[in-house]
PDB file of all heavy atoms in Angstrom:
ATOM      1  N   THR H  15       0.271  -8.935 -17.147  1.00 41.00           N
ATOM      2  CA  THR H  15      -0.449  -8.062 -18.103  1.00 41.00           C
ATOM      3  C   THR H  15       0.244  -6.705 -18.148  1.00 41.00           C
ATOM      4  O   THR H  15       1.084  -6.433 -17.269  1.00 41.00           O
ATOM      5  CB  THR H  15      -1.895  -7.846 -17.612  1.00 41.00           C
ATOM      6  OG1 THR H  15      -1.831  -7.233 -16.290  1.00 41.00           O
ATOM      7  CG2 THR H  15      -2.634  -9.158 -17.490  1.00 41.00           C
ATOM      8  N   VAL H  64      55.205 -12.616   9.181  1.00 69.00           N
ATOM      9  CA  VAL H  64      55.180 -12.455  10.687  1.00 69.00           C
ATOM     10  C   VAL H  64      55.256 -13.781  11.347  1.00 69.00           C
ATOM     11  O   VAL H  64      56.103 -14.004  12.221  1.00 69.00           O
ATOM     12  CB  VAL H  64      53.840 -11.826  11.128  1.00 69.00           C
ATOM     13  CG1 VAL H  64      53.731 -11.684  12.615  1.00 69.00           C
ATOM     14  CG2 VAL H  64      53.747 -10.405  10.434  1.00 69.00           C
ATOM     15  N   ALA H  85      50.782 -10.396 -11.962  1.00 62.00           N
ATOM     16  CA  ALA H  85      49.506  -9.713 -12.003  1.00 62.00           C
ATOM     17  C   ALA H  85      49.651  -8.279 -11.431  1.00 62.00           C
ATOM     18  O   ALA H  85      50.291  -8.011 -10.460  1.00 62.00           O
ATOM     19  CB  ALA H  85      48.399 -10.370 -11.154  1.00 62.00           C
ATOM     20  N   VAL H 100      58.338   0.377   5.100  1.00 79.00           N
ATOM     21  CA  VAL H 100      59.450   1.242   5.267  1.00 79.00           C
ATOM     22  C   VAL H 100      59.124   2.423   6.167  1.00 79.00           C
ATOM     23  O   VAL H 100      59.871   2.806   7.042  1.00 79.00           O
ATOM     24  CB  VAL H 100      59.941   1.744   3.887  1.00 79.00           C
ATOM     25  CG1 VAL H 100      60.936   2.870   4.014  1.00 79.00           C
ATOM     26  CG2 VAL H 100      60.520   0.591   3.059  1.00 79.00           C
ATOM     27  N   ASP H 145       7.394   6.875  -0.251  1.00 88.00           N
ATOM     28  CA  ASP H 145       6.853   7.528  -1.447  1.00 88.00           C
ATOM     29  C   ASP H 145       5.863   6.589  -2.153  1.00 88.00           C
ATOM     30  O   ASP H 145       4.799   7.033  -2.619  1.00 88.00           O
ATOM     31  CB  ASP H 145       8.015   7.849  -2.408  1.00 88.00           C
ATOM     32  CG  ASP H 145       8.958   8.871  -1.810  1.00 88.00           C
ATOM     33  OD1 ASP H 145       8.568   9.539  -0.830  1.00 88.00           O
ATOM     34  OD2 ASP H 145      10.087   9.054  -2.382  1.00 88.00           O
ATOM     35  N   GLY H 247      -4.864 -11.518   0.801  1.00 70.00           N
ATOM     36  CA  GLY H 247      -5.894 -10.598   0.564  1.00 70.00           C
ATOM     37  C   GLY H 247      -7.334 -11.188   0.762  1.00 70.00           C
ATOM     38  O   GLY H 247      -8.196 -10.486   1.324  1.00 70.00           O
ATOM     39  N   ARG H 275     -15.465 -20.880   7.270  1.00 81.00           N
ATOM     40  CA  ARG H 275     -15.078 -20.144   6.097  1.00 81.00           C
ATOM     41  C   ARG H 275     -13.603 -19.607   6.264  1.00 81.00           C
ATOM     42  O   ARG H 275     -12.813 -19.655   5.330  1.00 81.00           O
ATOM     43  CB  ARG H 275     -16.006 -18.914   5.916  1.00 81.00           C
ATOM     44  CG  ARG H 275     -17.346 -19.175   5.375  1.00 81.00           C
ATOM     45  CD  ARG H 275     -18.138 -17.921   5.190  1.00 81.00           C
ATOM     46  NE  ARG H 275     -17.584 -17.062   4.133  1.00 81.00           N
ATOM     47  CZ  ARG H 275     -17.780 -15.765   4.097  1.00 81.00           C
ATOM     48  NH1 ARG H 275     -18.462 -15.119   5.055  1.00 81.00           N
ATOM     49  NH2 ARG H 275     -17.242 -15.027   3.113  1.00 81.00           N
ATOM     50  N   MET H 301      22.898 -24.838  -0.781  1.00 70.00           N
ATOM     51  CA  MET H 301      24.126 -24.166  -0.986  1.00 70.00           C
ATOM     52  C   MET H 301      25.256 -24.696  -0.170  1.00 70.00           C
ATOM     53  O   MET H 301      26.393 -24.829  -0.582  1.00 70.00           O
ATOM     54  CB  MET H 301      23.900 -22.679  -0.700  1.00 70.00           C
ATOM     55  CG  MET H 301      23.110 -21.897  -1.666  1.00 70.00           C
ATOM     56  SD  MET H 301      23.992 -21.719  -3.244  1.00 70.00           S
ATOM     57  CE  MET H 301      25.344 -20.719  -2.678  1.00 70.00           C
ATOM     58  N   THR H 307      30.980 -29.941  -1.163  1.00 73.00           N
ATOM     59  CA  THR H 307      31.476 -30.814  -2.158  1.00 73.00           C
ATOM     60  C   THR H 307      32.585 -30.109  -3.001  1.00 73.00           C
ATOM     61  O   THR H 307      33.650 -30.701  -3.324  1.00 73.00           O
ATOM     62  CB  THR H 307      30.351 -31.312  -3.072  1.00 73.00           C
ATOM     63  OG1 THR H 307      29.362 -31.929  -2.239  1.00 73.00           O
ATOM     64  CG2 THR H 307      30.833 -32.287  -4.148  1.00 73.00           C
ATOM     65  N   ALA H 317      46.464 -28.857  -2.847  1.00 74.00           N
ATOM     66  CA  ALA H 317      47.597 -29.596  -2.246  1.00 74.00           C
ATOM     67  C   ALA H 317      48.670 -29.887  -3.344  1.00 74.00           C
ATOM     68  O   ALA H 317      49.884 -29.850  -3.063  1.00 74.00           O
ATOM     69  CB  ALA H 317      47.107 -30.802  -1.563  1.00 74.00           C
ATOM     70  N   PRO H 327      52.569 -20.888   1.556  1.00 63.00           N
ATOM     71  CA  PRO H 327      51.478 -21.172   2.572  1.00 63.00           C
ATOM     72  C   PRO H 327      50.532 -19.967   2.761  1.00 63.00           C
ATOM     73  O   PRO H 327      49.368 -20.129   2.890  1.00 63.00           O
ATOM     74  CB  PRO H 327      52.255 -21.579   3.818  1.00 63.00           C
ATOM     75  CG  PRO H 327      53.555 -22.075   3.330  1.00 63.00           C
ATOM     76  CD  PRO H 327      53.897 -21.238   2.135  1.00 63.00           C
ATOM     77  N   GLY H 329      49.980 -17.703   0.657  1.00 72.00           N
ATOM     78  CA  GLY H 329      49.087 -17.533  -0.532  1.00 72.00           C
ATOM     79  C   GLY H 329      47.897 -18.515  -0.473  1.00 72.00           C
ATOM     80  O   GLY H 329      46.726 -18.156  -0.845  1.00 72.00           O
ATOM     81  N   LEU H 383     -15.675  26.834 -10.219  1.00 92.00           N
ATOM     82  CA  LEU H 383     -17.156  26.995 -10.088  1.00 92.00           C
ATOM     83  C   LEU H 383     -17.548  28.102  -8.998  1.00 92.00           C
ATOM     84  O   LEU H 383     -17.159  27.912  -7.871  1.00 92.00           O
ATOM     85  CB  LEU H 383     -17.795  25.625  -9.754  1.00 92.00           C
ATOM     86  CG  LEU H 383     -19.309  25.523 -10.059  1.00 92.00           C
ATOM     87  CD1 LEU H 383     -19.648  25.651 -11.572  1.00 92.00           C
ATOM     88  CD2 LEU H 383     -19.762  24.130  -9.540  1.00 92.00           C
ATOM     89  N   GLY H 400     -22.668  -1.661 -15.240  1.00 77.00           N
ATOM     90  CA  GLY H 400     -22.527  -2.909 -16.081  1.00 77.00           C
ATOM     91  C   GLY H 400     -23.649  -2.917 -17.089  1.00 77.00           C
ATOM     92  O   GLY H 400     -23.901  -2.063 -17.899  1.00 77.00           O
ATOM     93  N   LEU H 405     -30.547   4.744 -14.645  1.00 92.00           N
ATOM     94  CA  LEU H 405     -31.173   5.979 -15.011  1.00 92.00           C
ATOM     95  C   LEU H 405     -31.370   6.038 -16.545  1.00 92.00           C
ATOM     96  O   LEU H 405     -30.434   5.656 -17.273  1.00 92.00           O
ATOM     97  CB  LEU H 405     -30.413   7.203 -14.560  1.00 92.00           C
ATOM     98  CG  LEU H 405     -30.233   7.348 -13.026  1.00 92.00           C
ATOM     99  CD1 LEU H 405     -29.336   8.553 -12.694  1.00 92.00           C
ATOM    100  CD2 LEU H 405     -31.508   7.516 -12.339  1.00 92.00           C
ATOM    101  N   LEU H 410     -34.483  16.881 -15.026  1.00 94.00           N
ATOM    102  CA  LEU H 410     -34.879  17.449 -13.727  1.00 94.00           C
ATOM    103  C   LEU H 410     -34.241  18.805 -13.533  1.00 94.00           C
ATOM    104  O   LEU H 410     -33.022  19.014 -13.823  1.00 94.00           O
ATOM    105  CB  LEU H 410     -34.426  16.476 -12.600  1.00 94.00           C
ATOM    106  CG  LEU H 410     -34.638  16.926 -11.181  1.00 94.00           C
ATOM    107  CD1 LEU H 410     -36.192  17.010 -10.918  1.00 94.00           C
ATOM    108  CD2 LEU H 410     -33.979  15.964 -10.194  1.00 94.00           C
ATOM    109  N   SER H 445     -26.087  15.374 -19.315  1.00 94.00           N
ATOM    110  CA  SER H 445     -25.183  16.224 -18.518  1.00 94.00           C
ATOM    111  C   SER H 445     -25.869  16.681 -17.224  1.00 94.00           C
ATOM    112  O   SER H 445     -27.122  16.653 -17.103  1.00 94.00           O
ATOM    113  CB  SER H 445     -24.814  17.524 -19.297  1.00 94.00           C
ATOM    114  OG  SER H 445     -25.962  18.278 -19.569  1.00 94.00           O
ATOM    115  N   ALA H 456     -15.910  21.727 -14.463  1.00 93.00           N
ATOM    116  CA  ALA H 456     -15.500  22.497 -13.301  1.00 93.00           C
ATOM    117  C   ALA H 456     -14.319  21.608 -12.612  1.00 93.00           C
ATOM    118  O   ALA H 456     -14.247  20.431 -12.777  1.00 93.00           O
ATOM    119  CB  ALA H 456     -16.629  22.648 -12.346  1.00 93.00           C
ATOM    120  N   THR H 472     -23.589   6.954   9.067  1.00 77.00           N
ATOM    121  CA  THR H 472     -22.738   8.090   9.431  1.00 77.00           C
ATOM    122  C   THR H 472     -21.283   7.674   9.471  1.00 77.00           C
ATOM    123  O   THR H 472     -20.913   6.685  10.099  1.00 77.00           O
ATOM    124  CB  THR H 472     -23.142   8.663  10.757  1.00 77.00           C
ATOM    125  OG1 THR H 472     -24.589   8.843  10.827  1.00 77.00           O
ATOM    126  CG2 THR H 472     -22.373   9.864  11.097  1.00 77.00           C
ATOM    127  N   LEU H 499     -22.270  22.976  16.413  1.00 88.00           N
ATOM    128  CA  LEU H 499     -22.820  21.936  17.291  1.00 88.00           C
ATOM    129  C   LEU H 499     -24.109  22.417  17.936  1.00 88.00           C
ATOM    130  O   LEU H 499     -25.039  21.600  18.099  1.00 88.00           O
ATOM    131  CB  LEU H 499     -21.741  21.645  18.353  1.00 88.00           C
ATOM    132  CG  LEU H 499     -20.538  20.858  17.998  1.00 88.00           C
ATOM    133  CD1 LEU H 499     -19.475  20.868  19.084  1.00 88.00           C
ATOM    134  CD2 LEU H 499     -20.847  19.419  17.594  1.00 88.00           C
ATOM    135  N   PHE H 507     -24.527  17.430  24.779  1.00 86.00           N
ATOM    136  CA  PHE H 507     -23.918  16.137  25.046  1.00 86.00           C
ATOM    137  C   PHE H 507     -22.346  16.171  24.852  1.00 86.00           C
ATOM    138  O   PHE H 507     -21.596  15.540  25.556  1.00 86.00           O
ATOM    139  CB  PHE H 507     -24.521  14.953  24.211  1.00 86.00           C
ATOM    140  CG  PHE H 507     -23.939  14.763  22.808  1.00 86.00           C
ATOM    141  CD1 PHE H 507     -22.777  14.140  22.718  1.00 86.00           C
ATOM    142  CD2 PHE H 507     -24.641  15.189  21.714  1.00 86.00           C
ATOM    143  CE1 PHE H 507     -22.235  13.947  21.395  1.00 86.00           C
ATOM    144  CE2 PHE H 507     -24.127  15.065  20.446  1.00 86.00           C
ATOM    145  CZ  PHE H 507     -22.916  14.372  20.296  1.00 86.00           C
ATOM    146  N   SER H 527     -23.567   7.344  20.572  1.00 81.00           N
ATOM    147  CA  SER H 527     -24.786   6.712  20.097  1.00 81.00           C
ATOM    148  C   SER H 527     -25.072   7.045  18.669  1.00 81.00           C
ATOM    149  O   SER H 527     -24.476   7.958  18.066  1.00 81.00           O
ATOM    150  CB  SER H 527     -25.971   7.132  21.030  1.00 81.00           C
ATOM    151  OG  SER H 527     -26.288   8.471  20.742  1.00 81.00           O
ATOM    152  N   SER H 560     -34.201   9.995  19.380  1.00 65.00           N
ATOM    153  CA  SER H 560     -32.975  10.511  18.520  1.00 65.00           C
ATOM    154  C   SER H 560     -33.418  11.215  17.307  1.00 65.00           C
ATOM    155  O   SER H 560     -32.958  12.226  16.913  1.00 65.00           O
ATOM    156  CB  SER H 560     -32.049   9.378  18.205  1.00 65.00           C
ATOM    157  OG  SER H 560     -31.453   8.780  19.397  1.00 65.00           O
ATOM    158  N   GLY H 574     -31.868  28.101   4.120  1.00 83.00           N
ATOM    159  CA  GLY H 574     -31.070  28.804   3.104  1.00 83.00           C
ATOM    160  C   GLY H 574     -30.323  27.886   2.169  1.00 83.00           C
ATOM    161  O   GLY H 574     -29.455  28.396   1.430  1.00 83.00           O
ATOM    162  N   GLY H 599     -35.507   3.985 -13.070  1.00 88.00           N
ATOM    163  CA  GLY H 599     -34.637   5.030 -13.648  1.00 88.00           C
ATOM    164  C   GLY H 599     -35.257   6.195 -14.267  1.00 88.00           C
ATOM    165  O   GLY H 599     -34.576   7.008 -14.928  1.00 88.00           O
ATOM    166  N   TYR H 617     -46.471   6.674  -5.797  1.00 85.00           N
ATOM    167  CA  TYR H 617     -46.361   7.237  -4.496  1.00 85.00           C
ATOM    168  C   TYR H 617     -47.516   6.844  -3.581  1.00 85.00           C
ATOM    169  O   TYR H 617     -47.278   6.433  -2.417  1.00 85.00           O
ATOM    170  CB  TYR H 617     -46.312   8.757  -4.687  1.00 85.00           C
ATOM    171  CG  TYR H 617     -46.013   9.465  -3.364  1.00 85.00           C
ATOM    172  CD1 TYR H 617     -44.701   9.763  -2.910  1.00 85.00           C
ATOM    173  CD2 TYR H 617     -47.140   9.920  -2.574  1.00 85.00           C
ATOM    174  CE1 TYR H 617     -44.493  10.418  -1.734  1.00 85.00           C
ATOM    175  CE2 TYR H 617     -46.882  10.598  -1.349  1.00 85.00           C
ATOM    176  CZ  TYR H 617     -45.549  10.886  -0.947  1.00 85.00           C
ATOM    177  OH  TYR H 617     -45.357  11.513   0.279  1.00 85.00           O
TER     178      TYR H 617
END
Side-chain angles (χ1 to χ4, degrees):
T15 64
V64 177
V100 169
D145 296 346
R275 286 180 68 203
M301 285 291 296
T307 304
L383 196 64
L405 298 176
L410 176 65
S445 64
T472 307
L499 289 170
F507 85 78
S527 69
S560 296
Y617 186 87

